Amino acid sequence: MRKTGPRQLSLVFADSPSGGGTTEPSDASERRSFLLHIARTKKTRGPATCVADTSRLLEDVASEANLAAALLKVVRNKGAPGVDGQTVETAEAQAPSMLARLRRDLLAECYRPGDVRRVWLPKPGGGQRGLGIPNVVDRVVQQAVLQILEPIFDPTFHPSSHGFRPKRGAHTAIAEAKGYLAAGYQTVVDLDLAKFFDRVHHQRLLARIALRVTDQRIISLVRQMLTASVVMPDGTKVAVREGTPQGGPLSPLLSNIVLDELDLELARRGLRFVRYADDANIFVGSERAGQRVMTSIRGFLEKRMRLQVNEEKSGVRKPDEVHFLGFRFRCPKEGEGDDVAIFPSAKAERQLRTTVREMTPPSWGRSITSCMDGISRYLTGWMSHYRLCTPEAVKGLGTIDAHIRRRVRAIIVRQKKRPRFLYRHLAAKGVSRKAAAGCAFCGKRAWAKSNRPAMTRAYPPAWFAGRMASLKALWHDINPPQASAQLSLAF
């Protein structure tokens, strides 16, 4: 270690693009270069080695390269401080000493996770979701463990598990679900687990980890993470007997390890299913089969896995009644073809309208350009998730676009403050005096005026094009029309 420090320090300064000139890199860039250098050059054992020998995984977790890569990941993810108040910026500034201390403590088996800070986040449908925020140092250790365990466990998971896995996600889950519906399995057993992350049985989880990990030090380390005390918002410290710390980097992998038992049971029964974290949909051919599967799987979850089904959110439903990852489906009727239509769910549309309403308050006090810029950023991100929607959903997207444009027009009306100012503004925009007067002096409020003919003529959809994003236009940009086979042959 004594020889490594100076050599690493000299290489960090060698990374400076100035070549030792007058322009020096900032402290932040030096620290980032230091971490990148260790993560790239000190890695001696790869995932394949980890899979081959699981009896000495702690050495892989505590390696300089793995810890440096874990710290980089935590810094990039940012996140709030834990109980100790340390920020990710402070941890990055103390990287050399922190990594050395972590490596020493992990190998000596004297590392002990700190308490977890509990925060409550509101759910879109009401209620609160408990989130545990570990200290930054503990998040680094969890990320380091994740980087070693994930290559061991992920290849063994069922292909129909899509949550928190490399190269998988909501879009792959929706694509698989659409395939089952197109194949004729158009009754959905919608399963949702009640407070899953708070009810995971520790011994069952550790036993499943032990099936593939023979290094008892890793299992002991995971046990310590699971049983770390939780500090409530009022300062009360609560001991943990079950559950996984939702909010830490390792929690998603642990949840998949637990629910892989459910996946294997569903596959053993020959059922077609798609699971994303604790939300699972099973596709069957009839209502009767769905009720039978629901009763059987409920018993398996409660008696075998000691998990509870959320009765309010679970049920046997038709595809258009299911809210799955923000989407809903509509199966074609006889004579309508065989394509399954994909729409944003009603819940997702309500949340979109609520967010837009919050971003376009009537009392908006800044420029209308800044308002439209914020809306454009939000709509672009929203459409990146809902780009899987089929052409049948485009009409609904156009309706939402019209609603958003009206809200922006209402802001413009209010910013003119007085009817005569609005009248002059509309006249200057080329609106006839009669129409301008009918809007400005109608005696209605801003929301009613925003939809008057004078406002729609002054600010038509063409005016918003290029100034504010449109869901309909974004969808067409992502899904360009495909040239027909005859057209391609004509050329």
Side-chain angles (χ1 to χ4, degrees):
M1 291 298 293
R2 293 180 180 176
K3 294 181 180 180
T4 304
R7 179 164 53 88
Q8 292 173 347
L9 186 61
S10 63
L11 287 172
V12 169
F13 284 106
D15 287 340
S16 173
S18 62
T22 57
T23 303
E24 296 181 358
S26 64
D27 292 340
S29 63
E30 287 185 11
R31 295 191 296 266
R32 190 64 57 87
S33 298
F34 171 78
L35 291 174
L36 287 170
H37 170 67
I38 296 180
R40 291 172 179 172
T41 62
K42 290 294 182 180
K43 189 172 182 178
T44 58
R45 302 181 67 182
T49 307
C50 298
V51 175
D53 181 13
T54 62
S55 62
R56 295 186 60 81
L57 292 182
L58 186 63
E59 283 72 16
D60 295 314
V61 170
S63 68
E64 289 183 334
N66 192 53
L67 290 175
L71 178 56
L72 277 172
K73 184 72 173 179
V74 170
V75 170
R76 287 167 179 164
N77 289 341
K78 299 181 181 180
V83 174
D84 61 359
Q86 185 184 43
T87 63
V88 292
E89 292 80 11
T90 304
E92 185 181 14
Q94 302 171 354
S97 59
M98 188 185 77
L99 294 181
R101 182 176 67 255
L102 271 181
R103 174 174 169 80
R104 181 178 63 251
D105 291 347
L106 286 170
L107 293 177
E109 300 182 51
C110 60
Y111 163 80
R112 296 295 181 268
D115 296 336
V116 177
R117 182 166 69 93
R118 172 60 57 88
V119 297
W120 298 101
L121 302 178
K123 292 183 179 180
Q128 291 182 319
R129 182 189 305 276
L131 187 67
I133 303 179
N135 296 329
V136 175
V137 173
D138 299 327
R139 298 208 293 267
V140 172
V141 176
Q142 287 193 31
Q143 180 66 34
V145 174
L146 171 67
Q147 292 167 177
I148 298 302
L149 293 186
E150 189 173 61
I152 298 174
F153 284 94
D154 189 78
T156 68
F157 292 150
H158 195 276
S160 294
S161 169
H162 296 265
F164 312 112
R165 296 185 60 188
K167 299 181 180 180
R168 292 174 181 269
H171 291 169
T172 58
I174 295 299
E176 184 177 1
K178 181 182 178 182
Y180 291 142
L181 293 172
Y185 301 93
Q186 298 181 358
T187 299
V188 183
V189 180
D190 190 7
L191 279 177
D192 186 86
L193 300 180
K195 298 182 179 179
F196 164 72
F197 287 93
D198 296 333
R199 292 178 175 172
V200 171
H201 193 271
H202 288 175
Q203 287 304 118
R204 289 185 60 83
L205 170 58
L206 295 173
R208 293 196 65 83
I209 295 176
L211 293 176
R212 298 189 177 276
V213 174
T214 57
D215 192 338
Q216 292 300 316
R217 298 171 298 174
I218 291 292
I219 297 176
S220 176
L221 180 60
V222 173
R223 179 186 290 108
Q224 293 173 15
M225 294 175 181
L226 293 172
T227 56
S229 299
V230 174
V231 178
M232 306 301 288
D234 60 358
T236 306
K237 185 181 292 188
V238 178
V240 176
R241 296 289 181 265
E242 61 180 2
T244 61
Q246 186 179 7
L250 190 59
S251 181
L253 176 64
L254 297 181
S255 67
N256 276 333
I257 292 175
V258 171
L259 292 175
D260 187 58
E261 185 176 358
L262 172 62
D263 297 343
L264 295 177
E265 178 64 18
L266 295 175
R268 186 186 67 81
R269 300 184 184 190
L271 297 172
R272 296 158 181 82
F273 69 95
V274 178
R275 183 179 64 79
Y276 190 98
D278 58 341
D279 193 1
N281 282 352
I282 306 171
F283 299 86
V284 296
S286 66
E287 174 80 14
R288 183 177 179 182
Q291 295 294 345
R292 183 175 64 252
V293 169
M294 172 63 83
T295 302
S296 176
I297 295 301
R298 182 190 290 112
F300 175 81
L301 287 169
E302 294 177 352
K303 297 177 182 178
R304 178 75 177 272
M305 299 186 64
R306 303 186 184 183
L307 298 174
Q308 192 73 28
V309 175
N310 189 331
E311 299 295 343
E312 294 182 0
K313 296 183 178 180
S314 302
V316 180
R317 303 185 172 102
K318 295 299 181 183
D320 57 350
E321 300 172 351
V322 175
H323 167 84
F324 186 50
L325 304 177
F327 293 90
R328 64 182 175 89
F329 304 93
R330 190 180 70 190
C331 297
K333 298 179 181 179
E334 294 184 5
E336 293 183 352
D338 56 356
D339 290 336
V340 176
I342 303 176
F343 298 83
S345 68
K347 182 179 178 181
E349 290 189 6
R350 287 195 302 270
Q351 182 62 35
L352 170 62
R353 289 176 179 269
T354 299
T355 303
V356 169
R357 184 167 57 250
E358 294 171 352
M359 298 178 69
T360 56
S363 58
W364 180 264
R366 287 175 284 169
S367 68
I368 199 67
T369 302
S370 64
C371 178
M372 292 190 293
D373 289 343
I375 294 173
S376 297
R377 287 191 294 270
Y378 174 73
L379 294 182
T380 302
W382 192 88
M383 183 50 66
S384 67
H385 177 73
Y386 291 95
R387 64 178 182 266
L388 291 183
C389 292
T390 52
E392 293 83 355
V394 173
K395 182 178 179 181
L397 297 178
T399 302
I400 297 175
D401 285 334
H403 175 75
I404 296 173
R405 289 194 296 266
R406 184 177 179 182
R407 293 200 64 86
V408 174
R409 292 190 192 103
I411 293 176
I412 295 174
V413 171
R414 286 189 61 90
Q415 288 188 342
K416 298 309 171 187
K417 296 187 182 297
R418 297 189 179 183
R420 65 175 182 271
F421 296 156
L422 177 61
Y423 169 77
R424 295 170 187 170
H425 175 74
L426 293 175
K429 296 286 289 184
V431 179
S432 67
R433 293 180 179 273
K434 181 179 180 181
C439 177
F441 302 108
C442 67
K444 303 291 185 179
R445 294 196 174 188
W447 181 247
K449 291 180 179 180
S450 66
N451 203 37
R452 301 283 290 191
M455 282 300 297
T456 56
R457 291 172 192 168
Y459 295 95
W463 183 88
F464 289 92
R467 292 183 173 89
M468 186 176 70
S470 161
L471 292 176
K472 190 173 179 180
L474 288 170
W475 186 90
H476 283 293
D477 290 342
I478 297 173
N479 302 276
Q482 299 293 330
S484 66
Q486 292 180 351
L487 183 63
S488 61
L489 289 174
F491 286 99

